[in-house]
Amino acid sequence: MKVTVERAQLLKSLGHVHRVVERRNTIPILGNVLLRAENAQLSLKATDLDLEVTETLAAETGAGGGSTTVPAHMFYDIVRKLPDGAQIVLEGDGDRSVLAIRAGRSRFTLQTLPESDFPDLAAGDMTHSFTLTAADLKRLIDRTQFAISTEETRYYLNGIYLHAAGTAKAPTLRAVATDGHRLAQVDLPLPQGATGMPGVIVPRKTVGEVLRLI
């Protein structure tokens, strides 16, 4: 595996995915980010078994591509401290289980774990798909997230409940959050494709990550 990528692009994508990784993990592979190079693209994936984030960016990839996993927070700290405009070369050696990082005169080597150990959260078949503008999604979150419960024993209140509501003449997409003492509710016109969608609870951690992205 050999990949060349621009530092600013890699840092931006790593900044999104590394936040999902808990700093303390009893399962070593969950502390790593999965790197996969193919078709002139580098994809980064991280998960805590509840939330999975994948980012893809343009890169120069060697013949055949390749994949590996490296410690997420250590990798992020290295990239963050490299100079602006640097071209970063990532070279993986599967036989030695290491990833070499080169940028200018800087050299780093990180221990890796095999891709086969990385968990895959299969999403399954989604029955509904619809589009919301970033402004509408931000409005839903901003006006409801304050009411999300932080009491872990009532896990079903630890998120925002999204579901189709309203009447046949005025259908809506409704977001609701409550901690048992207060309740926040916001309605938007039902987007095309959301008719008949099953209600879903978007967990608090996912809400926070989505809000940062938009």
Side-chain angles (χ1 to χ4, degrees):
M1 170 183 171
K2 183 175 181 180
V3 183
T4 303
V5 63
E6 205 273 323
R7 180 253 184 193
Q9 288 184 306
L10 181 58
L11 182 63
K12 181 180 179 182
S13 294
L14 267 177
H16 293 158
V17 302
H18 94 285
R19 289 194 301 258
V20 176
V21 179
E22 300 292 345
R23 288 193 174 272
R24 294 184 180 181
N25 269 303
T26 55
I27 306 174
I29 193 65
L30 295 183
N32 282 20
V33 58
L34 172 64
L35 308 178
R36 180 177 289 122
E38 58 185 355
N39 301 325
Q41 290 185 327
L42 175 66
S43 68
L44 315 173
K45 182 188 290 187
T47 183
D48 62 359
L49 294 183
D50 290 322
L51 172 63
E52 180 180 279
V53 176
T54 303
E55 286 251 352
T56 303
L57 60 150
E60 295 179 18
T61 57
S67 58
T68 189
T69 76
V70 294
H73 292 287
M74 193 176 299
F75 187 34
Y76 174 72
D77 287 339
I78 289 173
V79 174
R80 182 170 56 88
K81 293 175 181 178
L82 291 173
D84 288 336
Q87 292 292 312
I88 301 175
V89 179
L90 309 175
E91 287 188 274
D93 187 338
D95 295 333
R96 294 177 53 215
S97 297
V98 296
L99 179 75
I101 303 170
R102 294 188 287 110
R105 292 184 294 176
S106 300
R107 300 288 187 276
F108 305 90
T109 302
L110 294 179
Q111 293 292 321
T112 66
L113 291 173
E115 178 196 9
S116 57
D117 290 351
F118 198 85
D120 183 21
L121 300 186
D125 294 329
M126 299 297 180
T127 58
H128 292 73
S129 176
F130 59 91
T131 301
L132 280 179
T133 66
D136 282 343
L137 183 56
K138 187 174 187 299
R139 177 180 167 224
L140 287 180
I141 293 175
D142 284 343
R143 297 192 178 186
T144 55
Q145 69 166 344
F146 69 90
I148 296 175
S149 175
T150 57
E151 189 178 341
E152 297 299 334
T153 56
R154 304 173 75 186
Y155 61 90
Y156 47 87
L157 300 182
N158 296 159
I160 296 175
Y161 179 44
L162 280 181
H163 59 289
T167 64
K169 291 184 177 180
T172 62
L173 177 66
R174 179 169 294 169
V176 180
T178 182
D179 58 8
H181 301 285
R182 55 190 176 177
L183 182 144
Q185 174 183 311
V186 179
D187 285 0
L188 290 177
L190 192 68
Q192 185 175 357
T195 303
M197 66 171 278
V200 295
I201 298 175
V202 184
R204 183 176 63 247
K205 187 172 182 179
T206 303
V207 169
E209 291 303 319
V210 169
L211 191 58
R212 288 189 184 99
L213 289 174
I214 60 176

